[in-house]
Amino acid sequence: MTATRGFGIDIGGSGIKGALVDLAEGRLIGDRLRIDTPQPATPAAVAEVVAEIVRHFDWEGPVGITLPAVIKKGVAQTAANIDPSWIGTDADGLFAERLGRHVDDVAMLNDADAAGMAEMRFGDPAGRTGVVALLTFGTGIGSALFHDGKLVPNTEFGHLEVDGHDAEKKAAASVKDNEGLSYPDWAKRVDRYLTVLENLIWPDLFIVGGGVSKKSEKWVPLLDIRTRVVVASLQNNAGIVGAAAAAVEGIEH
Ligand code: BGC
């Protein structure tokens, strides 16, 4: 029997969001709960918030959790927008213990990989063939690369060096806000970034997501690149949906 309900938590640089997920439809069931990411975002402080969210929903099943980090077999390997003490942390073990669950009932994934997996299942079917890169524009830039719907995990294209800079330091959505850039000015930076990326991986399609994809009409039409660009269908909830699906299916990379 396939479970039709799951639970996902998306840990970001500014907020930690959790919700019940309908896995047949790829939609949230009811409202999500968002709590500000504690600062510093240490493993213990984040685990406390995650436990609070799970408690709030009274959820007892498996939990999928994303982190803005490279995750190998449940262990965080990087920490660009979270506390450096995450590096080397067995996130799977930490959350399993804090949530009183077996490690097999906690799935840890990179946030963009989780969002991408949700898009593959529930988004535009055009994303399921060929080489497809999903990019999330938020605090940083996340990436998920697929070939015929199959994920190549932990690609970290947000850290590509573009014109001598870490790409996300120039083209993340947070940079637009912090530097007070207009959409056209920010779109120029995204355009430059995507041009460098498309020249390296020659994708058939880019899917753009993250909070800023809600205002896609203000910047996506300004992009002048070779590759077709579509907006993520699940928008900002894709990470939660992908995490919930991974937990139920026992997917971890
Ligand atoms: C991190 C990635 C993450 C992305 C989006 C980057 O800074 O290195 O792991 O997917 O931000 O949150």
Side-chain angles (χ1 to χ4, degrees):
M1 195 189 84
T2 318
T4 53
R5 270 157 55 108
F7 193 80
I9 297 192
D10 196 18
I11 300 174
S14 59
I16 302 180
K17 296 162 283 187
L20 283 166
V21 176
D22 177 332
L23 293 172
E25 302 286 329
R27 272 200 239 113
L28 303 196
I29 303 170
D31 289 337
R32 67 182 197 184
L33 175 64
R34 180 192 184 283
I35 297 181
D36 281 349
T37 305
Q39 299 301 337
T42 57
V46 168
E48 192 52 46
V49 173
V50 164
E52 187 180 335
I53 293 176
V54 173
R55 243 192 339 262
H56 170 86
F57 287 92
D58 223 356
W59 174 254
E60 288 181 352
V63 179
I65 304 174
T66 78
L67 268 178
V70 169
I71 310 282
K72 290 256 181 204
K73 302 201 187 318
V75 179
Q77 311 287 331
T78 62
N81 293 307
I82 42 169
D83 196 75
S85 58
W86 277 98
I87 297 173
T89 296
D90 174 6
D92 208 3
L94 169 77
F95 289 120
E97 199 191 328
R98 191 65 190 73
L99 299 175
R101 279 161 172 81
H102 190 272
V103 280
D104 292 346
D105 289 327
V106 175
M108 288 305 308
L109 295 141
N110 168 266
D111 54 357
D113 284 349
M117 292 198 317
E119 285 294 331
M120 288 301 120
R121 267 157 222 238
F122 304 109
D124 188 338
R128 292 179 204 147
T129 41
V131 174
V132 176
L134 171 126
L135 299 161
T136 60
F137 293 88
T139 310
I141 299 177
S143 64
L145 182 66
F146 295 87
H147 181 230
D148 289 346
K150 193 156 171 37
L151 176 70
V152 179
N154 292 311
T155 45
E156 295 291 317
F157 291 146
H159 297 296
L160 202 66
E161 188 179 310
V162 176
D163 303 328
H165 299 276
D166 187 24
E168 73 172 23
K169 295 273 179 328
K170 290 282 167 189
S174 61
V175 179
K176 177 185 173 301
D177 298 340
N178 295 342
E179 294 187 18
L181 298 176
S182 64
Y183 276 101
D185 284 344
W186 179 66
K188 276 188 212 133
R189 295 190 182 189
V190 176
D191 188 87
R192 175 73 188 131
Y193 167 60
L194 293 179
T195 300
V196 172
L197 185 55
E198 70 177 358
N199 286 341
L200 286 176
I201 62 168
W202 283 81
D204 298 298
L205 182 71
F206 279 128
I207 304 178
V208 294
V212 76
S213 63
K214 277 188 223 139
K215 299 256 171 73
S216 63
E217 75 286 353
K218 293 187 188 272
W219 58 280
V220 173
L222 303 179
L223 300 175
D224 183 22
I225 58 171
R226 182 198 312 125
T227 311
R228 190 157 86 89
V229 179
V230 298
V231 178
S233 326
L234 285 88
Q235 298 199 334
N236 228 6
N237 291 327
I240 297 177
V241 172
V248 166
E249 292 165 25
I251 298 172
E252 220 168 45
H253 301 110

